[in-house]
Amino acid sequence: DIDGTITRSDVFGHILPWVGKDWTQNNIAKLFTALEGNGYKFLYLSSRAIGQASMTKNFLRTIKQNGIGIPEGPMLLSPDSLLRAIKDELVLKCPHIFKIRCLTDIKKLFGEGSEPFYAGFGNRISDSKSYEAVGIPKHRVYIINHRGEIYTENSLVQVCTYAEIFEVNELYFPPLHTRAGEETVEEEFLTQNFWRIAIRDYDEADLVL
């Protein structure tokens, strides 16, 4: 996702770059660059209208934080008009419909049974719906708010930031190609997964005070 995920908010993320104001999330460039170094590829998906393609490409290319940009990657936008895209995003609040269709079509290109998407970053519940619909596990769906706080769908109380993920990025995003002599660790045994306590289901009677 772009607006509210790479930028700090949906609305100002559209407007402020036009007047030369940096409104990107802190530390996102160094994190994404580190993940690229771990072997991951990036796909930028937004419900922005296709008519904003040139402006959005230029925005992504010009992001610089301490001299570091974000990785290159395909950018996919809504085929609708600007007014329709705004209506879907802000009025109907259903941008996930386009995103699910788009991601599903891309997934089909890799063949039946494939899981090409490892993780997803977004800022709304609709982003969670989009990513989970194409097979991304809840613990790898990262939702960020305007304060730069990130949580995953299955751990709403475990909050971190882009900077904190960067410090231990190889735990969250294990390198796809290990160096000679190194051993890989199964994902279920990674610290952030192995020590996670599952939330049990409660009956209504359990909730009575």
Side-chain angles (χ1 to χ4, degrees), residues 30-69:
K30 71 176 184 178
L31 172 61
F32 281 14
T33 299
L35 301 189
E36 182 184 41
N38 289 348
Y40 297 89
K41 303 298 182 182
F42 283 78
L43 172 68
Y44 299 99
L45 177 64
S46 174
S47 57
R48 289 188 182 193
I50 191 67
Q52 297 175 282
S54 178
M55 177 192 72
T56 305
K57 283 182 181 178
N58 185 62
F59 164 67
L60 294 176
R61 288 196 192 106
T62 56
I63 290 176
K64 285 289 185 293
Q65 295 179 336
N66 296 321
I68 301 174

Side-chain angles (χ1 to χ4, degrees), residues 1-6 10 45-47 89 93-100 103 119-134 136 140-144 153:
D1 185 44
I2 296 176
D3 297 306
T5 304
I6 293 177
D10 288 327
L45 177 64
S46 174
S47 57
E89 177 81 30
K93 299 186 183 300
C94 59
H96 59 283
I97 295 176
F98 153 70
K99 291 182 178 181
I100 290 174
L103 292 174
F121 290 87
N123 71 312
R124 293 177 178 272
I125 296 300
S126 60
D127 293 322
S128 296
K129 293 179 180 178
S130 302
Y131 301 148
E132 291 171 28
V134 293
I136 298 178
R140 293 204 298 261
V141 174
Y142 301 96
I143 301 299
I144 185 168
E153 276 297 284

